[in-house]
C-alpha cells in the first residue's frame, strides 16, 4: 500500500532537442531530472546538475575557464571573419545570420583559439562555440583550428580541441567541406612530429567535425551522454525506417564500440587531461599530495 | 519519355517519339530526310540545353542511373586490371572498388566509389548504391598504402551520394574511417590524382579524394550536403532543392573559381552516359597530363605542394583585420 497515490516519474532524457545552455535567471530546471536548481550553484558545479549529473552545454569562454589554470588565457586570431564567399541566402541571408550570431556571442565565428596552462603544462586549446550557428565549421573555423595546430607544432605544445558542433557549415558549401581536409593535413604533420593532441567531444559533435579532427586525437575523451556521430539520427532513421535504440550515438555507445578512450564527468575532466598529458610530454610526476593540491587548484580556477 | 532521358530533356523525348513513329512506317527517301532533320534538331536542342544547364539539372545529370562508373573508365583506359578486396578488419565493401592496373603502360592503383550504375537493381543493391561503409574507406586506404609501398601512383574516381548513413556505419566508426583517410592521404608518399566524375557527396566523397591534382567532370557535382538535405534543414522543405542547388555552388565552374578543383574535364554533349567511349577519351588527356605532372616531382616537394594546396582552401572566404 502506497502512502502517496501518485509516484513522481522523473522525465527521462529523450532524444528530442533539450535546452542545452544554462538559461538566464535565478532558477533553472534540469531538463533531465526536472530538479529545480539555483543558477549560482549550477555555475559552481561547472554546469553539471548536482542531482543527476546532466551536463549543460558550456560556451567557449566557460570551457576555457574550466580547463586553463587560474582561468587565464591568451586568445589568438579573434579577428578572423567570414566574407560569405558563396553569397548564400536561404530563408535568410547568411550575412544576417553571421551578424545575429556575432551579436549573440560576441565572437566572430564558432571557435576560440587560446594558449594557456593546463595544470602547469603549456597548451594550445581550441574551444568550439555552439551558439554561433550551431558551432558549424566554415572557412574561419577551419583556418583558426589549422592555425592552432600549426602553433602547437611550432611551439611543440600539446593541442586540445573541444568539439561542440553540428558539422560543416552548409552556407559556405564545398569550402566548408575542404576544411576537413585542411585540418587533417595539419594534424598529419602534428602526428608525425609527435606532438600530443587530445580531442574532447562534447554534446553535440556530429557530421564533418566528427569525420575529421574530433576522431583523430591521440586520446579521444567525451563528456557523458554527448551526442556523437557522423550522420544525424533523423537521417539514419529515414535510411533504416526504424526508431533508433536508446543511447545510440551517445558517448557511452561510442566507448562501447571502441571509438573513444574515455567518458569523463566534466568535474573530473581537467584532472584527467592533466594526468594524460603527463604521459605524453616531459613533466614531473605528481607527488600524491601535490596531485591533490593540483586538483584543488584546478577546481578553484574553474569555479 | 525513354527511361534514359532526364525530366528537363522532355523536348528531346518528343522528337524521339516522332522519329520512332516515322521509323515504323515504310521507308521512303522523304521520310528518311525527315528523320535526319529531326535527329539534327535533337542534337541542336541537346547542345543548347547542355550549354546552359542549371545547377539542379547538373545534379540530375551527375546522378544519372547510367552514369559511367569507375569500372567503365578502367575498361576503356586501363589494362591488366586486378581487383583487390577487403579491409582486413571486417568485410569487403562493394561500394568501393580498388585494384592494380596499368595506365599508359605504368602500374597504378585505382580506387573509386561504385554506385552500380548502368546495371539492374540487383547490381545497384550489390554496390549499396555507392554508399560506402567504414570498411570501404579502410579498404581504399589499405590499397593506397600498397601503392605507397611499391612506389605506384593512385588514381581515385569519386562518385557517391554520401557515406552510408546507417546503424552499422556508426557502430564501426564511419567518422573515424573518413577522418583517418583524410589525415593519411594528406601524407601519403605516392602521387594521387583525383577525378570527381559523378556525385561528390560530402565527407563520403572527400574520404578518398585528397590528392595532388583534383579533376572534375563538366557536369559532375561536389557538395557539402545534397541539395535536398540542405533544403530540408534551411528552408524546412526538401522541395526547395532547386534553390538549394543554386545556393550551394556545387558545379564544376563554381568550384574551379573557388580553387577546390584544379581542372574541368569536358564531357560529351548530353553527359558522359550518352557516350561512355567519348567520355573516357575526353578524360584520358587531362588524366595523363596530371599524372605525368605530379609523378615527376620530388616526393618531398610533392607532399609540400599537396599540403599547401589544401592549406589554402577557403582563404577566398576569410577576412583578417
Amino acid at each position: 500500500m502506497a502512502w502517496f497515490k501518485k509516484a513522481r516519474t522523473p522525465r527521462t532524457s529523450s532524444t528530442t532537442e533539450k535546452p542545452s545552455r544554462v538559461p538566464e535567471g535565478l532558477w533553472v530546471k534540469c531538463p533531465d531530472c526536472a530538479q529545480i536548481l539555483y543558477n549560482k550553484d549550477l555555475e559552481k558545479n561547472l554546469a553539471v546538475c548536482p542531482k543527476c549529473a546532466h551536463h549543460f552545454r558550456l560556451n567557449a569562454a566557460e570551457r576555457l575557464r574550466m580547463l586553463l589554470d587560474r582561468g587565464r588565457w591568451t586568445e589568438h586570431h579573434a579577428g578572423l571573419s567570414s566574407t560569405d564567399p558563396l553569397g548564400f541566402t536561404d530563408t535568410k541571408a547568411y550575412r544576417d545570420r553571421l551578424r545575429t550570431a556575432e551579436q549573440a556571442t560576441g565572437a566572430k565565428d564558432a571557435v576560440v583559439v587560446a594558449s594557456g596552462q593546463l595544470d602547469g603544462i603549456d597548451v594550445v586549446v581550441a574551444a568550439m562555440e555552439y551558439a554561433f550557428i550551431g558551432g558549424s565549421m566554415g572557412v574561419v573555423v577551419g583556418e583558426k583550428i589549422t592555425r592552432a595546430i600549426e602553433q602547437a607544432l611550432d611551439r611543440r605544445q600539446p593541442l586540445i580541441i573541444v568539439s561542440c558542433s553540428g558539422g560543416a557549415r552548409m552556407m559556405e558549401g564545398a569550402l566548408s567541406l575542404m576544411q576537413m581536409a585542411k585540418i587533417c593535413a595539419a594534424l598529419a604533420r602534428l602526428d608525425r612530429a609527435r606532438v600530443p593532441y587530445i580531442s574532447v567531444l562534447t554534446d553535440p559533435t556530429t557530421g564533418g567535425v566528427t569525420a575529421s579532427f574530433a576522431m583523430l586525437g591521440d586520446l579521444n575523451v567525451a563528456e557523458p551522454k554527448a551526442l556523437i556521430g557522423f550522420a544525424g539520427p533523423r537521417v539514419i532513421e529515414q535510411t533504416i525506417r526504424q526508431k533508433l535504440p536508446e543511447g545510440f550515438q551517445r558517448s557511452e555507445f561510442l566507448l562501447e564500440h571502441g571509438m573513444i578512450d574515455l567518458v569523463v564527468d566534466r568535474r573530473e575532466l581537467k584532472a584527467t587531461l592533466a594526468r594524460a598529458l603527463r604521459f605524453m610530454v616531459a613533466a614531473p610526476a605528481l607527488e600524491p599530495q601535490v596531485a591533490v593540491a593540483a586538483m584543488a587548484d584546478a577546481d578553484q580556477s574553474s569555479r | 519519355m525513354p527511361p534514359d532521358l532526364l525530366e528537363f530533356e522532355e523536348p528531346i523525348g518528343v522528337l524521339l517519339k516522332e522519329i520512332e513513329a516515322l521509323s515504323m512506317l515504310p521507308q521512303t527517301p522523304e521520310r528518311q530526310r525527315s528523320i535526319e532533320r529531326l535527329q539534327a534538331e535533337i542534337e541542336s536542342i541537346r547542345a543548347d540545353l547542355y550549354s546552359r544547364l542549371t545547377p539542379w539539372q547538373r545534379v540530375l545529370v551527375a546522378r544519372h542511373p547510367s552514369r559511367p562508373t569507375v569500372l567503365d573508365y578502367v575498361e576503356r583506359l586501363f589494362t591488366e586490371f586486378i581487383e583487390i578486396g577487403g579491409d582486413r578488419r571486417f568485410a569487403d565493401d562493394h561500394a568501393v572498388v580498388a585494384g592494380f592496373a596499368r595506365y599508359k603502360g605504368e602500374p597504378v592503383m585505382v580506387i573509386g566509389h561504385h554506385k552500380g550504375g548502368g546495371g539492374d537493381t540487383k547490381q545497384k543493391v550489390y554496390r549499396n548504391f555507392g554508399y560506402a561503409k567504414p570498411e570501404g574507406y579502410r579498404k581504399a586506404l589499405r590499397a593506397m598504402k600498397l601503392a605507397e609501398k611499391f612506389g605506384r601512383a593512385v588514381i581515385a574516381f569519386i562518385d557517391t551520394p554520401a557515406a552510408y548513413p546507417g546503424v552499422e556505419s556508426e557502430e564501426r566508426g564511419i567518422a573515424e574511417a573518413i577522418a583517418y583517410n583524410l589525415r593519411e592521404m594528406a601524407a601519403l608518399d605516392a602521387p594521387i590524382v583525383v577525378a570527381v566524375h559523378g556525385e561528390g557527396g560530402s565527407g563520403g566523397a572527400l574520404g578518398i579524394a585528397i590528392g595532388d591534382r583534383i579533376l572534375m567532370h563538366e557536369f559532375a557535382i561536389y557538395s557539402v550536403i545534397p541539395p535536398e538535405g540542405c533544403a530540408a534543414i534551411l528552408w524546412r522543405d526538401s522541395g526547395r532543392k532547386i534553390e538549394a542547388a543554386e545556393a550551394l555552388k556545387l558545379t564544376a565552374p563554381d568550384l574551379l573559381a573557388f580553387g577546390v578543383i584544379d581542372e574541368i574535364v569536358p564531357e560529351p554533349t548530353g553527359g558522359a552516359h550518352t557516350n561512355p567511349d567519348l567520355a573516357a577519351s575526353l578524360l584520358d588527356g587531362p588524366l595523363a597530363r596530371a599524372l605525368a605532372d605530379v609523378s615527376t616531382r620530388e616526393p618531398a616537394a610533392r607532399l609540400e605542394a599537396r599540403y599547401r594546396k589544401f592549406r589554402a582552401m577557403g582563404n577566398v572566404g576569410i577576412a583578417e583585420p
Side-chain angles (χ1 to χ4, degrees):
Chain A
M1 193 181 79
W3 284 21
F4 300 100
K5 269 194 179 148
K6 202 170 161 192
R8 256 188 67 199
T9 45
R11 270 179 29 202
T12 51
S13 77
S14 61
T15 49
T16 54
E17 275 296 291
K18 40 183 179 181
S20 44
R21 293 272 302 117
V22 176
E24 304 287 323
L26 273 181
W27 299 92
V28 191
K29 189 172 174 186
C30 173
D32 212 345
C33 69
Q35 175 85 357
I36 304 293
L37 306 165
Y38 187 42
N39 214 340
K40 287 255 163 64
D41 288 343
L42 189 61
E43 257 172 55
K44 274 187 209 154
N45 207 35
L46 297 179
V48 175
C49 172
K51 186 157 175 269
C52 73
H54 169 76
H55 284 50
F56 288 79
R57 194 169 290 148
L58 294 184
N59 66 30
E62 290 164 334
R63 181 62 67 179
L64 292 170
R65 203 173 299 130
M66 70 154 281
L67 285 179
L68 296 171
D69 296 352
R70 295 173 300 282
R72 281 165 57 181
W73 66 85
T74 311
E75 188 178 347
H76 305 279
H77 322 301
L80 264 61
S81 62
S82 169
T83 63
D84 179 18
L86 272 55
F88 194 99
T89 299
D90 49 274
T91 53
K92 203 173 158 188
Y94 174 45
R95 271 175 197 280
D96 295 336
R97 287 188 194 274
L98 284 170
R99 202 172 310 125
T100 310
E102 197 178 324
Q103 280 159 3
T105 61
K108 290 199 179 294
D109 216 301
V111 71
V112 176
V113 171
S115 56
Q117 290 199 318
L118 194 154
D119 199 22
I121 301 171
D122 289 312
V123 292
V124 178
V125 184
M128 299 192 80
E129 178 60 73
Y130 192 78
F132 199 105
I133 316 187
S136 55
M137 171 168 62
V139 294
V140 172
V141 169
E143 178 67 19
K144 286 172 82 169
I145 290 181
T146 306
R147 288 190 191 183
I149 297 166
E150 288 171 342
Q151 189 172 331
L153 186 60
D154 281 350
R155 301 182 182 183
R156 296 199 65 83
Q157 291 172 357
L159 169 73
I160 298 169
I161 304 180
V162 185
S163 297
C164 187
S165 169
R169 188 174 294 167
M170 286 177 278
M171 300 82 140
E172 293 181 9
L175 291 173
S176 297
L177 184 67
M178 292 304 140
Q179 301 312 302
M180 296 165 64
K182 170 161 132 185
I183 291 169
C184 290
L187 283 178
R189 296 195 155 187
L190 194 73
D191 180 61
R192 276 25 170 208
R194 303 183 183 189
V195 176
Y197 162 40
I198 298 181
S199 170
V200 178
L201 299 96
T202 73
D203 183 66
T205 299
T206 58
V209 165
T210 319
S212 58
F213 54 89
M215 274 294 150
L216 292 177
D218 297 314
L219 200 69
N220 295 336
V221 181
E223 289 193 334
K225 293 186 184 161
L227 176 74
I228 303 168
F230 179 58
R234 264 177 304 174
V235 176
I236 300 176
E237 280 182 347
Q238 281 165 18
T239 308
I240 62 171
R241 295 171 202 284
Q242 279 174 39
K243 278 303 264 183
L244 289 165
E246 179 82 27
F248 178 71
Q249 288 185 321
R250 297 283 160 185
S251 307
E252 297 72 16
F253 172 91
L254 275 93
L255 184 70
E256 190 63 32
H257 286 93
M259 292 301 140
I260 55 177
D261 294 279
L262 292 159
V263 177
V264 180
D265 188 294
R266 186 179 294 156
R267 292 162 291 188
E268 311 288 330
L269 184 60
K270 182 175 178 180
T272 306
L273 296 184
R275 188 179 291 186
L277 284 174
R278 283 186 149 69
F279 174 81
M280 301 171 178
V281 297
L286 297 170
E287 296 290 325
Q289 58 271 46
V290 182
V292 173
M295 281 185 65
D297 177 54
D299 278 2
Q300 245 159 34
S301 67
S302 46
R303 281 177 189 192
Chain B
M1 243 185 3
D4 248 23
L5 285 184
L6 296 164
E7 60 192 37
F8 67 88
E9 294 174 314
E10 206 196 322
I12 296 174
V14 173
L15 296 180
L16 282 174
K17 259 193 201 135
E18 274 185 51
I19 292 177
E20 204 186 330
L22 284 173
S23 330
M24 306 272 236
L25 300 169
Q27 210 172 341
T28 67
E30 198 190 335
R31 281 202 190 107
Q32 194 53 37
R33 273 197 300 280
S34 304
I35 289 176
E36 277 160 21
R37 193 166 35 76
L38 286 168
Q39 269 162 346
E41 203 176 326
I42 286 175
E43 285 318 307
S44 108
I45 290 175
R46 204 194 298 271
D48 180 49
L49 278 176
Y50 276 77
S51 68
R52 48 186 178 82
L53 288 183
T54 66
W56 175 250
Q57 288 168 344
R58 285 170 190 260
V59 171
L60 296 176
V61 177
R63 290 177 180 168
H64 195 285
S66 301
R67 186 98 177 152
T69 69
V70 53
L71 292 180
D72 290 318
Y73 289 110
V74 164
E75 193 183 301
R76 288 167 176 83
L77 299 177
F78 296 74
T79 55
E80 294 181 29
F81 180 66
I82 302 175
E83 188 170 350
I84 64 171
D87 67 345
R88 301 293 191 275
R89 297 286 181 274
F90 180 77
D92 184 37
D93 187 345
H94 306 134
V96 174
V97 170
F100 310 143
R102 277 182 191 267
Y103 181 63
K104 310 279 175 207
E106 289 291 318
V108 293
M109 178 65 79
V110 177
I111 59 172
H113 310 90
H114 196 310
K115 287 181 175 178
D120 52 12
T121 308
K122 211 171 139 191
Q123 172 71 213
K124 287 184 162 63
V125 169
Y126 176 76
R127 299 288 183 188
N128 200 25
F129 300 89
Y131 288 97
K133 294 176 187 169
E135 47 272 25
Y137 295 97
R138 291 176 182 139
K139 169 166 81 173
L141 185 62
R142 188 177 73 82
M144 290 187 272
K145 295 272 185 188
L146 284 177
E148 183 180 53
K149 179 174 178 179
F150 298 111
R152 307 305 186 197
V154 176
I155 301 173
F157 289 85
I158 307 306
D159 184 23
T160 179
Y164 181 63
V167 174
E168 65 263 48
S169 263
E170 301 285 329
E171 283 175 343
R172 295 199 289 277
I174 187 70
E176 191 274 345
I178 291 172
Y180 190 65
N181 277 19
L182 298 182
R183 194 183 82 179
E184 294 306 304
M185 287 184 85
L188 193 89
D189 186 11
I192 309 175
V193 176
V194 176
V196 182
H197 69 95
E199 199 176 0
S202 189
L206 189 66
I208 59 168
I210 309 301
D212 301 301
R213 197 62 56 85
I214 316 294
L215 312 177
M216 182 166 171
H217 279 59
E218 191 178 354
F219 306 128
I221 57 163
Y222 201 176
S223 180
V224 66
I225 186 169
E228 294 89 339
C230 177
I233 296 169
L234 291 181
W235 279 267
R236 302 194 177 283
D237 173 7
S238 60
R240 308 288 288 271
K241 60 199 178 188
I242 294 168
E243 288 149 277
E246 303 265 347
L248 283 166
K249 301 274 188 285
L250 42 63
T251 72
D254 284 324
L255 296 175
L256 185 68
F258 287 136
V260 169
I261 60 159
D262 298 305
E263 189 177 340
I264 298 176
V265 177
E267 287 187 38
T269 309
H273 63 277
T274 58
N275 192 343
D277 291 336
L278 181 57
S281 72
L282 287 170
L283 171 63
D284 201 20
L287 181 60
R289 268 202 312 280
L291 195 60
D293 192 23
V294 300
S295 298
T296 48
R297 291 195 186 182
E298 279 297 305
R302 183 170 53 232
L303 283 171
E304 180 62 24
R306 190 186 301 162
Y307 186 79
R308 289 291 134 212
K309 171 186 179 56
F310 283 92
R311 180 68 188 80
M313 296 261 182
N315 285 356
V316 57
I318 298 170
E320 186 160 21

